[in-house]
């Protein structure tokens, strides 16, 4: 056998009920590989509630707590507080929430958890819509995308607003570590997981999670679409540690954004002008990111550098 | 009153089939009722939908446990779900299958019908090879095999209510109408034993769920199966890395092995295999 | 045992200290705030070794203790009025997850208009969430009930969360002498929590889950059965508390001079104290009146109310909230509890003390006189002066 480039342990079981080819399922599998068995995961209402299968079965080889959709940030604060009170050490506490449960209805609890410096890793698995309820728009749905509540009919042409920049919002809370991850790049993914695991304090992951059901592509394309997202600049891979940005996948020249958009049914209706607008936005984001990186090499960005990081708390 | 139970998979359109059938029955001047068994099904997982039709407003609101007709949109379900449960004596079982109806297992005394709906759907550009959208073909076949609705009403309902490709869906239904094969029962019907709903045992584990899902086999979700041609396999492990179902292990020599109890047939391994040595094949 | 002059809110905080609570979550709202402030002091000085989690909302406050309780910790939080209403989703969650949380609730009116006065609308609106509900009459009862609440909540036959209510200002900010039990006494009465059906790091298990119609009812049925076991378990817990401290508070429905009464008034919370004085006055005048206190509201003490109903012909129920039913919440429940009995006393619902109005001796006397005269409507707003008809 060739040497495995990822940890061999499997803490997400087969037999779960994600759609075939689900990016969110692969995200969980890769995440737990790196985090190991002493992990407690809090999961709000989202696809993963269902993926984990009905009582009395569970799809995770670790402890899993359900929580209401908007309360993941608070839930992981509670779990950490209990572990601290009971003297349980070396446990990684994880909130694993969808984009809707994070960026929309759960943003208050997330902000609270980051601000009170809970020693936990908050993961937003980003499938860019409310998938469990059947593909409705969220704050993370990108510009132009079709969803059932941003229809392409009559004078409507998909979502008219841009995606909410969750990384920027999170970074304004000065987490010890924040990173974007993409299962299409599993080695980069695993390196970030291991890095985050070794830290203590509030940490945040934005994990790209292609959803063939909601994005309208054939299931076998999940990985290819993820790769395109990063290589077109739509979903750049980077990390921010103590205010320093680091782009972890340097793309010399970005692929045309069309390649990514044309691969998915949710963007099928976009006109060349629409595509040009998306392309401009993507390029702008990418260039800003490169600027942040080069500037923060000189001096960590002020917004991301608290003067004296407070001690970690529950 | 005629009661029909649809069995399909999330994504195949079983629920939509029962809805369009309602619209068709209404066009025919009858009073329909249709509703899904609302689970939280993902694409590929088994789903159920119910349909009733009568001359007057239907006065019952329950799931259908003793159907007159059972419609199976996916032949793979025959192996995993007791689809014929409660089928009334002399009832009809209509299955999407390329096999002749005589080869379909059904309760004694049932009429049997088959239609190769997957092939017809793909020929009309409906769905993909992994997930053909067969619901409209099945409706055409159902109109012919059961007579509960007319083909005209089915066509009109599809043109109006199909969420996409109305013309192709209508033509597919017409082809299904022509292609369905039916045989009458060879044995006399046996009255079904009414199923008494038995209470589940009390909660054994309190509110804690702790049985691993490896006890659940998801093989029936797949329509295509990956086959690894080891001659060209370089043991790069890409297939293992990317499988969202952890359905790939390794043999003694380090070659990848598909865990067929769990593989859902997504095709990622075949797509990502650098030497392209994994092939997705149809098992039916 | 030490006698301290304490407010109801301090009494809650001292009970939390004595119970050795491990995780407390805190968010301010008048008139609850001084509970979490006092606990913050106790933690700061080391008198209480607990994780004190400062949250950004009551919704998160309850989620923090739900999750901490699900991990096996002993937990407490406190709230009032709008805070409790914001928690509503989690209030259901806590009982469904079988988390033995104890929560202090300072009963306060709900806006608009904004009003911080005493009113039971907040906790009454949570009466069907699977929590055990106590309404306290004195600060002594507050401290004792919170301590008993932990025993009851964590009892293997129960495993349900408990709310301990106190009337805004009439208890929360009222100072009075309170016997505070010694730590050793409480330790003997309340051992550390024995976690059951909780999560443990390193094991594969899920707490919460989802089910279909085939299974859900079993979970509800388990909660219902646990609720049914509360009265018997409460008797046991009270006995043990009495053994430890010498005090008890008379079970679910303590009564006063009801034996030969023509009319009995049922009260909740602080209006009970005033009513007791009025009973003595009226008795001195030869009027045969009695009093019963609904100390436990959930589960509803059917047996006690039926026993009371068998003894008297007229019952009045004073509700400190308006709930849009045939009577107030307590009035409706009392009527429903009595309905299957063979003896049917006439039941009158009174609204008294809504939004912090004083329930004065005058108001109580009027309720008794209405009952004794027999000429009362089915429901009566005692706070509205225009409607005063009996003694003007
Ligand atoms: C308070 C509340 N509102 C609405 C819902 C319904 N709901 C359940 S899952 C879900 C979608 C969640 O979307 P997201 O967080 O993006 O996760 P995904 O399903 O896409 O994986 C919604 C809206 C709920 N459970 N609770
Ligand atoms: S809907 Fe999307 S995110 Fe949800 S299980 Fe299916 S593929 Fe995964
Ligand atoms: S097709 Fe391949 S990648 Fe998909 S579930 Fe099966 S083994 Fe895994
Ligand atoms: Mg989502």
């Amino acid at each position: 056998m060739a040497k495995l480039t990822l940890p061999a342990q499997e803490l997400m079981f087969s037999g779960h009920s994600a759609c075939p080819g689900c990016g969110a399922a692969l995200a969980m599998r890769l995440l737990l590989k790196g985090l190991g068995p002493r992990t407690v995961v809090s999961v709000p209402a989202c696809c993963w509630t269902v993926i984990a299968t009905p009582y009395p079965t569970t799809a995770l080889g670790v402890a899993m707590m359900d929580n209401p959709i908007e309360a993941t940030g608070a839930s992981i604060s509670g779990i950490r507080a209990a572990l601290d009170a009971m003297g349980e050490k070396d446990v990684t506490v994880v909130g694993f929430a969808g984009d809707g449960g994070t960026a929309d209805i759960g943003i208050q609890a997330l902000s609270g958890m980051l601000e009170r410096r809970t020693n936990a890793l908050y993961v937003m698995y980003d499938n860019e819509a409310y998938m469990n309820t059947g593909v409705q728009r969220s704050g993370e749905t990108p510009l132009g995308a079709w969803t059932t509540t941003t229809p392409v009919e009559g004078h409507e042409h998909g979502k008219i607003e841009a995606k909410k920049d969750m990384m920027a919002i999170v970074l304004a809370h000065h987490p010890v570590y924040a990173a974007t991850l993409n299962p299409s790049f599993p080695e980069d993914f695993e390196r970030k997981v291991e890095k985050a695991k070794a830290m203590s304090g509030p940490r945040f992951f934005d994990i790209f999670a292609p959803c063939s059901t909601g994005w309208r592509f054939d299931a076998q394309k999940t990985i290819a679409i993820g790769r395109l997202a990063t290589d077109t600049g739509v979903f750049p891979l980077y990390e921010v540690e103590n205010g320093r940005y680091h782009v972890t996948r340097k793309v010399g020249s970005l692929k045309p954004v069309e390649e990514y958009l044309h691969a998915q049914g949710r963007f099928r209706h976009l006109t060349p002008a629409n595509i040009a607008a998306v392309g401009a936005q993507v390029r702008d984001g990418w260039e800003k990111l490169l600027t942040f990186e080069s500037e923060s090499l000189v001096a960590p960005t002020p917004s991301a550098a608290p003067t004296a990081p407070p001690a970690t708390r529950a | 009153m005629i009661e029909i139970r649809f069995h399909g998979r999330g994504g195949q359109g079983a629920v939509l089939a029962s809805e369009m059938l309602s619209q068709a029955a209404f066009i025919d001047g009858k009073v329909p009722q249709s509703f899904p068994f609302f689970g939280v099904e993902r694409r590929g997982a088994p789903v159920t939908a119910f349909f009733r039709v009568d001359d007057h407003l239907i006065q019952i609101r329950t799931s259908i446990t003793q159907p007159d007709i059972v419609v199976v949109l996916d032949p793979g379900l025959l192996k995993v779900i007791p689809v014929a449960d409660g089928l009334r004596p002399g009832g009809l079982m209509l299955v999407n299958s390329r096999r002749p109806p005589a080869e379909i297992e059904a309760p004694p005394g049932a009429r049997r019908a088959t239609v190769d709906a997957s092939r017809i759907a793909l020929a009309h550009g409906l769905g993909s090879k992994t997930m053909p959208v067969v619901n409209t073909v099945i409706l055409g076949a159902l109109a012919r095999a059961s007579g509960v609705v007319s083909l005209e009403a089915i066509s009109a309902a599809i043109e109006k209510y199909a969420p996409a490709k109305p013309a192709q869906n209508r033509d597919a239904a017409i082809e299904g109408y022509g292609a369905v094969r039916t045989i009458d029962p060879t044995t006399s019907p046996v009255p079904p034993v009414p199923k008494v709903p038995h209470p589940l045992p009390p909660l054994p584990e309190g509110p804690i769920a702790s049985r691993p899902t490896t006890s659940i086999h998801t093989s029936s979700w797949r329509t295509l199966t990956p086959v690894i041609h080891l001659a060209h396999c370089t043991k790069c492990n890409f297939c293992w890395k990317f499988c969202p179902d952890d359905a790939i292990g390794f043999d003694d020599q380090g070659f990848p092995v598909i865990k067929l109890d769990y593989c859902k047939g997504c095709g990622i391994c075949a797509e990502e295999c650098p030497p392209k040595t994994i092939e997705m094949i149809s098992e039916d | 045992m030490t006698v301290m002059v304490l407010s109801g809110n301090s009494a809650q905080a001292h009970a939390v200290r004595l119970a050795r609570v491990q995780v407390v979550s805190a968010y301010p709202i008048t008139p609850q705030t001084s509970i979490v402030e006092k606990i913050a002091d106790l933690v700061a000085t080391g008198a209480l070794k607990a994780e004190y989690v400062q949250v950004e909302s009551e919704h998160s406050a309850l989620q923090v203790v739900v999750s901490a309780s699900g991990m096996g910790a002993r937990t407490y939080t406190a709230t009032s009025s709008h805070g409790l209403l914001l928690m509503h989703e989690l209030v259901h969650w806590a009982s469904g997850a079988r988390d033995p949380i104890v929560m202090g609730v300072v009963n306060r009116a709900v806006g608009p208009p904004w009003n911080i006065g005493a009113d039971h609308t907040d906790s009454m609106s949570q009466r069907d969430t699977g929590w055990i509900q106590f309404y306290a009459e004195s600060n002594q009862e507050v401290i004792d009930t919170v301590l008993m609440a932990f025993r009851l909540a964590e009892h293997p036959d129960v495993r349900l969360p408990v709310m301990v209510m106190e009337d805004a200002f009439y208890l929360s900010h009222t100072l009075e002498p309170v016997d505070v039990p010694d730590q050793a006494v409480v330790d003997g009465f309340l051992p550390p929590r024995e976690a059951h059906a909780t999560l443990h790091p390193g094991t594969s298990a899920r707490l919460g889950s989802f089910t279909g119609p085939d299974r859900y009812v079993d979970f509800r049925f388990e909660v219902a059965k646990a609720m049914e076991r509360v009265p018997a378990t409460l008797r046991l817990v009270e006995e043990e508390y009495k053994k430890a401290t010498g005090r008890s508070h008379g079970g679910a429905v303590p009564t006063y001079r009801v034996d030969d009464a023509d009319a009995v008034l049922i009260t909740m919370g602080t209006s009970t104290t005033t009513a007791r004085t009025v009973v003595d006055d009226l008795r001195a005048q030869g009027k045969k009146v009695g009093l019963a206190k609904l100390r436990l509201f959930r589960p509803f003490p059917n047996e006690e109310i039926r026993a009371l109903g068998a003894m008297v012909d007229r019952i009045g129920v004073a509700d400190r909230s308006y709930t849009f039913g045939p009577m107030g919440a307590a009035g409706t429940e009392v009527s429903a509890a009595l309905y299957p009995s063979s003896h049917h006393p006439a039941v009158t619902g009174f609204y008294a003390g809504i939004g912090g109005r004083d329930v004065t001796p005058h108001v109580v006397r009027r309720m008794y006189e209405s009952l004794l005269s027999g000429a009362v409507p089915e429901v009566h707003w005692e706070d509205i002066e225009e409607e005063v008809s009996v003694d003007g």
Side-chain angles (χ1 to χ4, degrees):
Chain A
M1 189 189 324
K3 200 172 154 293
L4 297 180
T5 52
L6 305 176
Q9 64 184 342
E10 298 289 353
L11 289 163
M12 182 202 74
F13 302 134
S14 303
H16 65 65
S17 48
C19 302
C22 173
L26 183 54
M28 179 68 95
R29 179 176 168 235
L30 295 178
L31 179 73
L32 291 183
K33 272 180 174 299
L35 293 182
R38 282 188 65 78
T39 301
V40 181
V41 187
S42 202
V43 180
C46 61
C47 267
W48 249 102
T49 312
V50 176
I51 296 172
T53 73
Y55 181 90
T57 44
T58 178
L60 301 189
V62 301
M64 167 174 170
M65 175 106 63
D66 287 83
N67 62 260
I69 186 168
E70 65 289 290
T72 309
S75 180
I76 55 182
S77 291
I79 292 169
R80 176 58 76 192
L83 293 172
D84 285 351
M86 300 187 305
E88 286 268 13
K89 302 236 180 332
D90 311 319
V91 181
T92 308
V93 177
V94 179
F96 193 87
D99 49 291
T102 301
D104 292 345
I105 195 168
I107 197 167
Q108 173 179 320
L110 167 64
S111 173
M113 165 266 167
L114 293 168
E115 185 268 342
R116 76 179 83 93
R117 305 203 73 72
T118 293
N119 178 14
L121 168 63
Y122 191 111
V123 174
M124 171 174 85
Y125 72 91
D126 191 1
N127 54 24
E128 302 193 321
Y130 295 107
M131 294 310 179
N132 190 44
T133 39
V135 201
Q136 295 79 33
R137 144 214 219 279
S138 80
E140 296 304 284
T141 302
L143 180 65
W146 163 90
T147 67
T148 58
T149 50
T150 53
V152 178
E153 236 168 324
H155 52 269
E156 302 290 341
H157 302 284
K159 193 185 178 206
I160 55 172
E161 302 88 4
K163 185 178 164 108
K164 195 188 281 193
D165 187 349
M166 275 312 290
M167 281 293 278
I169 290 169
V170 166
L171 287 170
H173 293 77
H174 322 309
V176 294
Y177 184 62
T180 61
L181 292 79
N182 183 340
S184 296
F185 300 93
E187 287 77 15
D188 178 81
F189 189 115
E190 222 52 58
R191 195 186 54 75
K192 288 168 179 165
V193 170
E194 276 155 24
K195 195 163 178 176
K197 183 187 173 184
M199 297 177 172
S200 88
R203 290 146 283 167
F204 180 82
F205 280 173
D206 178 353
I207 304 185
F208 196 66
C211 165
S212 71
T213 305
W215 296 6
R216 306 270 157 121
F217 61 81
D218 286 344
Q220 75 269 22
K221 295 286 184 195
T222 296
I223 305 302
I225 283 177
R227 208 178 285 123
L228 276 172
T230 293
D231 290 347
T232 55
V234 167
F235 191 87
L237 290 180
Y238 64 104
E239 60 192 359
V240 185
E241 197 182 344
N242 293 325
R244 288 194 200 278
Y245 282 70
H246 174 213
V247 178
T248 60
R249 182 169 167 84
K250 293 274 165 31
V251 186
S253 64
L254 296 178
K255 286 190 173 166
V257 76
E258 286 88 328
E259 285 190 32
Y260 173 72
L261 300 176
H262 286 327
Q264 301 168 57
R266 63 175 173 156
F267 296 119
R268 187 177 297 139
H269 55 282
L270 295 187
T271 63
N274 296 153
I275 292 174
V278 173
Q281 218 181 58
V282 165
R283 262 191 314 282
D284 187 47
W286 174 250
E287 273 153 27
K288 276 206 184 99
L289 179 63
L290 294 181
T291 315
F292 286 158
E293 184 183 39
S294 54
E295 284 176 356
S296 71
L297 275 180
V298 185
T301 53
S303 76
T307 35
T312 289
R313 271 235 213 77
Chain B
M1 181 170 67
I2 293 173
E3 297 183 306
I4 304 182
R5 195 171 62 211
F6 288 85
H7 293 280
R9 294 180 181 288
Q12 279 177 333
V15 173
L16 201 61
S18 79
E19 286 173 8
M20 285 193 289
L21 186 57
S22 281
Q23 301 291 355
F26 188 69
I27 293 171
D28 270 343
K30 295 185 187 143
V31 184
Q33 181 200 61
S34 72
F35 64 105
F37 174 79
F38 221 81
V40 276
E41 277 70 28
R42 304 293 99 171
R43 218 156 39 82
V47 298
T48 310
F50 305 111
F51 170 83
R52 291 188 173 98
V53 64
D54 209 339
D55 295 330
H56 48 75
L57 199 63
I58 288 160
Q59 299 294 347
I60 183 167
R61 298 190 187 277
T62 62
S63 334
I64 293 174
T65 51
Q66 291 184 288
D68 300 285
I69 301 172
V70 164
V71 179
V72 184
L73 279 77
D74 189 314
L77 289 175
L78 295 172
K79 282 179 260 164
V80 286
I81 287 178
V83 288
D85 252 15
L87 184 65
R88 285 180 191 278
L92 167 70
M93 195 155 137
L94 167 63
V95 181
N96 164 21
S97 171
R98 63 170 78 138
R99 290 184 286 155
E103 288 180 23
I104 298 295
E105 217 177 288
R111 291 175 66 224
R112 285 169 285 177
T114 57
V115 62
D116 190 356
S118 303
R119 183 191 57 75
I120 298 172
L122 287 175
H124 289 269
L126 304 173
S128 63
K129 219 178 139 200
T130 30
M131 184 66 76
V133 180
V134 298
N135 55 358
T136 46
V137 185
I138 282 283
L139 287 181
L142 178 66
R144 169 89 169 273
S146 71
V148 285
V149 279
S150 65
L151 181 61
E152 292 69 34
I154 284 285
S155 303
I158 290 174
E159 279 175 32
K160 193 154 170 211
Y161 296 104
K165 304 188 180 173
Q168 290 94 315
N169 272 297
R170 180 206 52 215
D171 293 348
I174 293 170
E175 193 175 337
Y177 186 89
V180 67
R181 291 175 289 175
T182 310
I183 56 164
D184 286 330
T186 45
T187 48
S188 51
V190 178
V193 186
K195 240 180 128 178
V196 185
H198 58 90
L200 289 160
L203 301 179
E205 292 144 67
I208 298 268
S210 58
R211 288 184 215 164
T213 47
T214 40
S215 60
I216 301 170
H217 288 179
T218 46
S219 52
S220 71
W221 291 37
R222 71 178 175 259
T223 48
L224 297 176
T225 303
V227 173
I228 309 178
H229 302 293
L230 293 182
H232 299 286
C233 173
T234 61
K235 301 185 183 176
C236 70
N237 304 330
F238 273 44
C239 51
W240 169 78
K241 272 196 260 191
F242 290 124
C243 176
D245 287 88
D246 181 27
I248 296 179
F250 298 102
D251 69 11
D252 299 345
Q253 297 159 54
F255 282 113
V257 182
I258 310 286
K259 303 178 200 167
L260 288 170
D261 285 342
Y262 305 114
C263 166
K264 291 178 186 154
C266 69
I268 287 178
C269 51
E271 180 82 10
E272 294 304 320
C273 171
K276 294 277 171 247
T277 192
I278 303 179
E279 192 187 355
M280 300 301 292
I281 61 155
S282 172
E283 277 181 300
D284 181 33
Chain C
M1 182 181 72
T2 326
V3 179
M4 296 167 80
V5 176
L6 296 178
S7 67
N9 283 357
S10 292
Q12 293 252 3
H14 280 287
V16 167
R17 168 180 63 81
L18 291 166
R20 300 189 188 276
V21 169
Q22 293 167 294
V23 176
V24 176
S25 59
Y27 193 85
I29 183 169
T30 308
Q32 172 280 121
T33 310
S34 51
I35 299 180
V36 294
E37 286 175 341
K38 178 72 192 171
I39 296 175
D41 283 346
L42 292 170
V43 172
T45 58
L48 171 63
K49 282 194 182 33
E51 296 296 320
Y52 185 84
V53 187
Q54 300 163 45
V55 288
E56 77 298 335
S57 75
E58 285 91 349
H59 193 279
S60 286
L62 193 48
Q63 178 68 66
V64 161
V65 290
V66 159
S67 290
S69 188
M71 298 303 299
R74 181 173 287 164
T75 62
Y76 175 91
T77 189
T79 190
S80 179
S81 182
H82 288 256
L84 181 58
L85 301 186
L86 181 61
M87 285 179 174
H88 182 65
E89 182 189 34
L90 267 308
V91 178
H92 277 282
W93 194 284
S95 62
R98 309 299 297 273
D99 295 324
I101 298 161
V102 174
M103 174 155 72
V105 174
V106 183
N107 283 123
R108 166 192 147 177
V110 170
W114 291 110
N115 171 14
I116 55 173
D119 190 297
H120 296 170
T121 303
D122 51 4
S123 58
M124 277 302 166
S125 73
Q126 310 297 313
R127 65 190 183 274
D128 295 325
T129 53
W131 286 58
I132 296 163
Q133 287 198 337
F134 287 101
Y135 289 78
E137 180 194 342
S138 67
N139 294 348
Q140 188 65 58
E141 200 180 329
V142 168
I143 195 168
D144 295 338
T145 306
V146 171
L147 289 171
M148 285 189 257
F150 281 106
R151 265 300 294 277
L152 185 62
E154 294 171 8
H155 195 284
D157 285 349
V158 175
R159 289 192 287 112
L160 288 171
V162 183
M163 285 181 204
V164 180
M165 263 60 83
E166 44 172 77
D167 283 338
F169 301 103
Y170 296 113
L171 290 189
S172 66
H173 288 65
T174 297
L175 299 183
E176 57 189 26
V178 174
D179 270 5
V180 180
D182 293 340
Q183 184 68 63
V185 170
V186 175
D187 287 346
F189 166 75
L190 181 66
R193 175 178 171 196
E194 259 178 55
H196 180 275
T198 54
L199 292 181
H200 302 282
T203 56
S204 164
R206 177 179 183 185
L207 175 57
S209 277
F210 84 99
T211 63
D214 55 341
R215 256 298 181 204
Y216 181 82
V217 62
D218 296 317
F219 284 83
R220 293 289 105 182
F221 189 58
E222 291 281 328
V223 173
K225 283 192 299 186
M227 266 298 180
E228 280 170 19
R229 291 190 291 262
V230 167
T233 316
L234 176 61
R235 276 192 289 279
L236 206 112
V237 169
E238 276 211 292
E239 261 167 45
E240 289 189 22
Y241 193 77
K242 189 169 185 184
K243 258 187 249 157
T245 67
R247 266 191 312 281
S248 107
H249 292 278
V253 188
T255 54
Y256 185 65
R257 302 184 83 167
V258 295
D259 285 347
D260 60 342
D262 294 326
V264 168
L265 185 66
I266 297 178
T267 53
M268 301 174 73
T270 49
S271 55
T272 312
T273 313
T274 311
R276 204 176 284 112
T277 315
V278 175
V279 167
D280 288 342
D281 288 353
L282 292 175
R283 282 273 178 181
Q285 296 167 24
K287 292 182 178 157
K288 293 205 267 180
V289 293
L291 178 68
K293 175 169 75 169
L294 263 184
R295 180 168 168 245
L296 180 72
F297 189 80
R298 277 288 180 268
F300 195 76
N302 295 314
E303 293 314 315
E304 287 82 349
I305 293 298
R306 283 177 195 149
L308 182 67
M311 295 164 60
V312 287
D313 291 330
R314 289 187 196 148
I315 291 182
V317 187
D319 267 290
R320 197 164 210 151
S321 63
Y322 184 71
T323 46
F324 305 94
M327 287 184 193
T332 304
E333 299 265 343
V334 167
S335 304
L338 291 175
Y339 192 78
S341 315
S342 49
H343 177 67
H344 280 164
V347 178
T348 300
F350 297 104
Y351 298 114
I354 303 289
R357 277 287 184 101
D358 277 333
V359 182
T360 60
H362 167 75
V363 167
V364 176
R365 205 171 301 118
R366 221 171 39 192
M367 289 193 270
Y368 273 117
E369 280 163 9
S370 307
L371 286 175
L372 289 172
S373 76
V376 281
E378 212 177 284
V379 288
H380 201 252
W381 283 77
E382 292 303 317
D383 300 319
I384 307 284
E385 291 298 328
E386 288 80 19
E387 295 198 1
V388 173
S389 55
V390 177
D391 64 356

